[in-house]
Amino acid sequence: MPSDWLVTPVKSRAVVTESADKKELLLNNGLVQRRFRMQPNVACIDYKNSSTGQQLLRAVKPEARVTLDGISYNIGGLYGQTEQAYLLPKWIDSFKKRDSDFVYVRHEVLDLPPYLSPQTKCWATNRKSATGKLLNFIYQSPLAALRGLEITVHYELYDGLPLIAKWLSIDNRSPKAVRINQLVNEILGMVEEQSAVVGSPEQMEKPSGLYIESNYAFNNAMRYNLSDQTTHWKPDPGYTSQVNYNYQTPCLLEVYPDHGPGIDLQPGGQFISIRTYELAMDSYDRQRRGMAVQQLYRTIAPWTTANPIFMHLVSKNDDEVYKAIDQCAATGYEALILSFGSHINMENVAPENLNRCKKIADYAHTKGIKVGAYSLFSSRKISEADDVINPKTGKTGGAFFGNAPCFGSKWGLAYRDKIKQFFTSTGFDIWENDGPYPGDLCASTTHPGHRDVDDSQWRQMEIQKELYHWLNNRGIYINAPDWYFLDGTNKIALGYREVNFSLSRAQQKILNRQNIFDGTWDKTPSMGWGFVPLTRYQGGGPEAVLEPLSEHLSDYEQLMMQYYGAGIQACYRGPRLYDTDTTRKLVSKVIQWYKKYRNILNSDIIHLRRADGRDWDGWLHTNPSLKEKGFIMLFNPTNEIIKRQITIPLYYTGLSTTAKIREKEGTARTYSLNRNYEVVLPVTLLPNSYSWWVVE
């Protein structure tokens, strides 16, 4: 098998090397390299995917751009490239710096520090922080008006994957405050994806050689590309030899938030920008690209690999909580979350409430069970004084969720403090934070947490992130339905329509498998949750729910098996996990099975066939570092026996010649892999059933 970083771990480490003439620095880890010219100013002159040899860069651009007190300044950069379709090294010596730009004064190279200090207490596949190198370029301005400002451009190169992170910090050592209106932390003149004589940037393909993700994403879409607020593909008017007649090819990448930051940086203060992650891609294949993104999360956000087995309890009193804790312990569950609609209020920090909740947590811990609760921030009206003020109307209303509190209001800041106090006082382990800050702008000029509309989004994001950092660093597990993974959250929804859980159980089984299939292209299994309504939810009748559990054991089992068989935790929402001893034994059996194969079931999912109710469907887990190299889950939703010869792709198992495959705990059979690393597996599936196979 050829060397492939997604199959065989890369042994080469991240290094920063300086050229003999001191003119250039090279970031390189064997998978991606980025080269900088440092004289007469810093500029990126080479950005290459080392696996493919693909050059990503066609033109030199500034390293970054900042707008201070309404005036825009470039940071780094060289000028003089007239042909911007490609860059020849021999041209670079003739390039000049510009007098008004921030200029390079020094650099430093350090070992990569962790971004957060997670104290993950739940089961996880990775607890190690990423390793690599940190390169800092320090800039100052030659202009007297900007004396005392120092800007550092930080680059992080990671060991083991083709990933570079970039972020900026600004230190104000001057005697006066400066307003940071905007900061563009990445500018790249990239090779275009297509040649189109006419057409707008929106109509044309964007360069795909880099996957870009920043830690500034929100809007409850459950997908990064729909939550992203920072990636901008623009035309490059200086690229005059492009094919597009009106110079509209989207080949200039700029990364910045659409709003703000708009903050006033006080003397002695430091501003830290968003963090942008750039992952070099070597394929158009959706499966491979998604697996690369998943490896990014596992590496830079190891807390996302935590995946406790939890129940979603609907409780009316403490006695029901204690009974549910006992049921969790009896069946092998690891955690209990008091669901929305339960009787626990985390905003109540009265001593009697905190003491009562502490007793619950203490009891859960004696049983080896972690406990958490639900709390809603947004999507609710607090007051005219505390709600978001719509910039268009000057009144409350019109926020992302209609009415919503401002995180910078008195109420919002108090909410943050109450959540911290609750966890500090009770010993709870999990926070299900519904409606986290969704990016609302607020035009209030009286809220203590921000100045006005210009800095309102940035300041509210800071408050939300700081809270997640605080929780993450204390080992609190965070479910949150928005894209704050890179700032400490652990899990988000797979993506589903809530009212579908009022449909029949037969429909739910198929729809849930569709959600699993669709929601695991670029999320790891541990990053998503599903839903199983044990009792009535969003409407529906007896055909939609599992209670009484003992009367629907077959459906209960399959719903558990298809979620756990995908490595995904579902919110089993109801008052209990079992109602009879037979039900308890069933739940325990499934959990024991899941724990036996937990590592491979939490590994990458290869998408075999999406559920459509007409034929078999299923997926394959792969992990070349485990004894179980692969795990196949197949389902038959029809009323007839299915017999098939199914081609199973085993490339990402790391196996190259033969594979031993057994159905369930049966006898293994040896299969030869063809030249595409595939085997043909004979499969028989009984009507309305499922089965599974282990690959070694």
Side-chain angles (χ1 to χ4, degrees):
M1 177 175 289
S3 178
D4 183 339
W5 72 276
L6 284 174
V7 178
T8 305
V10 175
K11 295 181 179 179
S12 59
R13 311 282 285 183
V15 294
V16 181
T17 55
E18 192 170 5
S19 63
D21 60 8
K22 307 295 184 182
K23 288 184 177 181
E24 295 181 358
L25 274 182
L26 176 67
L27 274 170
N28 187 18
N29 67 357
L31 293 170
V32 66
Q33 69 175 44
R34 189 160 177 170
R35 189 186 306 273
F36 302 90
R37 175 61 66 98
M38 297 189 294
Q39 300 174 9
N41 208 352
V42 170
C44 180
I45 58 172
D46 172 35
Y47 201 165
K48 185 184 296 182
N49 184 326
S50 302
S51 298
T52 63
Q54 179 186 6
Q55 179 59 243
L56 302 169
L57 202 70
R58 58 168 178 80
V60 168
K61 299 295 178 183
E63 281 290 280
R65 184 171 65 249
V66 64
T67 303
L68 303 172
D69 294 327
I71 303 175
S72 181
Y73 304 93
N74 286 338
I75 302 164
L78 294 171
Y79 306 88
Q81 183 180 351
T82 55
E83 172 57 79
Q84 297 203 9
Y86 55 91
L87 173 62
L88 298 183
K90 65 181 180 180
W91 297 342
I92 298 171
D93 282 336
S94 65
F95 293 171
K96 307 295 183 182
K97 68 176 181 178
R98 196 163 64 182
D99 292 341
S100 60
D101 293 349
F102 279 81
V103 295
Y104 161 77
V105 293
R106 64 184 185 280
H107 71 272
E108 57 186 3
V109 178
L110 305 168
D111 288 332
L112 185 67
Y115 175 51
L116 298 180
S117 299
Q119 304 297 316
T120 303
K121 298 176 182 178
C122 301
W123 182 93
T125 58
N126 182 30
R127 297 176 186 275
K128 298 179 180 178
S129 295
T131 58
K133 291 295 181 183
L134 170 63
L135 169 62
N136 297 327
F137 287 116
I138 295 93
Y139 298 83
Q140 294 175 354
S141 174
L143 303 178
L146 299 177
R147 190 167 296 132
L149 287 181
E150 188 167 88
I151 297 179
T152 304
V153 178
H154 309 267
Y155 285 98
E156 298 177 345
L157 178 63
Y158 294 82
D159 294 328
L161 71 168
L163 178 67
I164 295 176
K166 184 177 181 182
W167 50 286
L168 276 71
S169 57
I170 303 176
D171 290 279
N172 185 3
R173 299 189 177 96
S174 76
K176 62 178 183 178
V178 60
R179 180 162 296 185
I180 304 174
N181 306 100
Q182 186 187 62
L183 181 60
V184 180
N185 77 321
E186 181 63 293
I187 307 171
L188 288 173
M190 294 191 65
V191 176
E192 62 267 40
E193 194 71 12
Q194 65 178 192
S195 296
V197 176
V198 296
S200 67
E202 294 73 27
Q203 294 172 314
M204 286 184 266
E205 296 290 334
K206 312 303 187 292
S208 61
L210 287 179
Y211 170 81
I212 307 294
E213 182 161 337
S214 298
N215 66 335
Y216 202 88
F218 43 77
N219 80 357
N220 294 80
M222 314 298 176
R223 289 184 54 83
Y224 176 76
N225 66 322
L226 300 176
S227 302
D228 173 41
Q229 308 292 324
T230 66
T231 305
H232 301 83
W233 290 103
K234 298 182 174 183
D236 188 353
Y239 178 13
T240 56
S241 57
Q242 63 183 274
V243 169
N244 189 268
Y245 188 79
N246 293 315
Y247 304 144
Q248 292 297 298
T249 304
C251 56
L252 177 64
L253 171 66
E254 293 191 353
V255 180
Y256 57 89
D258 286 320
H259 301 284
I263 70 159
D264 293 328
L265 184 61
Q266 300 298 324
Q270 184 183 63
F271 170 83
I272 297 177
S273 77
I274 64 171
R275 300 170 67 92
T276 298
Y277 296 88
E278 303 172 6
L279 181 66
M281 291 293 193
D282 57 15
S283 172
Y284 289 97
D285 178 67
R286 186 183 185 187
Q287 181 72 65
R288 183 171 178 83
R289 292 176 70 90
M291 292 172 69
V293 173
Q294 291 177 51
Q295 192 59 28
L296 174 152
Y297 293 125
R298 290 189 176 104
T299 302
I300 67 173
W303 50 87
T304 63
T305 69
N307 204 10
I309 306 168
F310 62 84
M311 178 197 179
H312 238 231
L313 175 69
V314 181
S315 62
K316 298 185 292 292
N317 54 62
D318 290 357
D319 286 342
E320 292 178 341
V321 180
Y322 286 108
K323 290 177 182 177
I325 291 170
D326 290 340
Q327 287 205 345
C328 286
T331 53
Y333 270 63
E334 297 165 342
L336 178 72
I337 300 176
L338 280 74
S339 184
F340 43 95
S342 293
H343 75 294
I344 293 293
N345 179 9
M346 300 181 77
E347 297 172 41
N348 180 359
V349 292
E352 56 271 21
N353 185 58
L354 296 178
N355 291 334
R356 183 170 60 88
C357 291
K358 184 179 187 303
K359 289 179 181 178
I360 291 173
D362 289 345
Y363 180 77
H365 295 160
T366 67
K367 296 285 187 173
I369 303 299
K370 292 178 170 52
V371 65
Y374 170 97
S375 178
L376 176 68
F377 170 76
S378 197
S379 188
R380 57 193 285 198
K381 182 175 178 60
I382 304 301
S383 71
E384 290 297 304
D386 293 298
D387 277 12
V388 167
I389 302 298
N390 188 333
K392 295 180 180 179
T393 65
K395 301 177 181 179
T396 58
F400 187 89
F401 290 114
N403 281 96
C406 174
F407 226 147
S409 69
K410 289 182 180 180
W411 183 92
L413 296 175
Y415 176 87
R416 172 201 62 191
D417 296 340
K418 289 175 181 177
I419 296 301
K420 289 183 178 181
Q421 184 177 353
F422 182 89
F423 280 102
T424 300
S425 300
T426 64
F428 268 47
D429 310 282
I430 299 171
W431 189 31
E432 187 156 289
N433 176 207
D434 199 359
Y437 170 63
D440 289 322
L441 298 175
C442 180
S444 172
T445 58
T446 61
H447 289 168
H450 67 94
R451 185 191 63 245
D452 54 26
V453 66
D454 290 340
D455 72 336
S456 63
Q457 186 180 88
W458 186 268
R459 291 301 191 191
Q460 290 183 82
M461 282 290 288
E462 284 187 322
I463 297 165
Q464 180 70 83
K465 289 183 177 185
E466 187 277 332
L467 178 54
Y468 285 154
H469 292 188
W470 186 91
L471 293 163
N472 181 282
N473 292 344
R474 285 158 179 78
I476 307 301
Y477 190 90
I478 308 168
N479 283 353
D482 218 331
W483 213 270
Y484 287 94
F485 284 117
L486 300 183
D487 279 294
T489 63
N490 299 83
K491 196 183 290 292
I492 198 172
L494 276 174
Y496 50 72
R497 180 179 291 276
E498 288 189 302
V499 295
N500 286 355
F501 298 111
S502 66
L503 301 175
S504 70
R505 292 183 295 276
Q507 289 172 282
Q508 287 186 48
K509 284 187 284 189
I510 293 176
L511 293 171
N512 287 357
R513 293 205 301 278
Q514 290 181 340
N515 294 339
I516 290 168
F517 198 90
D518 298 341
T520 53
W521 284 104
D522 37 35
K523 291 200 296 280
T524 67
S526 60
M527 291 168 65
W529 78 72
F531 198 85
V532 175
L534 304 180
T535 53
R536 189 172 182 269
Y537 179 71
Q538 295 283 342
E543 76 286 350
V545 300
L546 289 167
E547 285 280 5
L549 301 174
S550 58
E551 297 179 13
H552 306 107
L553 292 181
S554 177
D555 288 334
Y556 194 11
E557 177 185 3
Q558 180 161 328
L559 284 164
M560 285 192 290
M561 286 295 294
Q562 62 188 42
Y563 272 122
Y564 288 125
I568 291 167
Q569 304 300 326
C571 300
Y572 298 89
R573 187 173 190 268
R576 57 190 176 180
L577 287 171
Y578 58 86
D579 52 359
T580 66
D581 195 53
T582 300
T583 309
R584 179 190 62 78
K585 290 179 180 178
L586 171 66
V587 175
S588 298
K589 182 186 73 171
V590 173
I591 296 301
Q592 289 171 7
W593 170 84
Y594 171 66
K595 287 183 176 179
K596 179 177 180 179
Y597 295 108
R598 193 171 196 173
N599 283 299
I600 184 63
L601 292 175
N602 276 267
S603 300
D604 287 334
I605 284 180
I606 306 297
H607 297 72
L608 299 180
R609 189 177 188 278
R610 188 178 189 268
D612 59 11
R614 299 184 178 193
D615 203 343
W616 71 272
D617 61 87
W619 51 80
L620 161 71
H621 292 276
T622 62
N623 192 328
S625 66
L626 298 178
K627 176 178 179 289
E628 298 91 358
K629 308 291 184 185
F631 197 103
I632 306 164
M633 286 289 299
L634 300 180
F635 301 86
N636 177 6
T638 75
N639 294 321
E640 300 176 352
I641 294 176
I642 289 179
K643 291 187 177 182
R644 294 283 188 278
Q645 300 284 322
I646 298 178
T647 299
I648 305 295
L650 296 181
Y651 174 82
Y652 291 105
T653 66
L655 299 172
S656 58
T657 56
T658 61
K660 294 181 179 180
I661 303 178
R662 58 177 165 85
E663 184 172 9
K664 297 183 177 177
E665 303 299 350
T667 302
R669 175 184 167 187
T670 300
Y671 293 81
S672 296
L673 277 67
N674 63 23
R675 294 183 68 179
N676 291 324
Y677 304 97
E678 300 166 333
V679 299
V680 178
L681 183 69
V683 168
T684 299
L685 294 170
L686 297 177
N688 298 295
S689 72
Y690 65 88
S691 193
W692 49 274
W693 291 257
V694 177
V695 182
E696 295 179 340

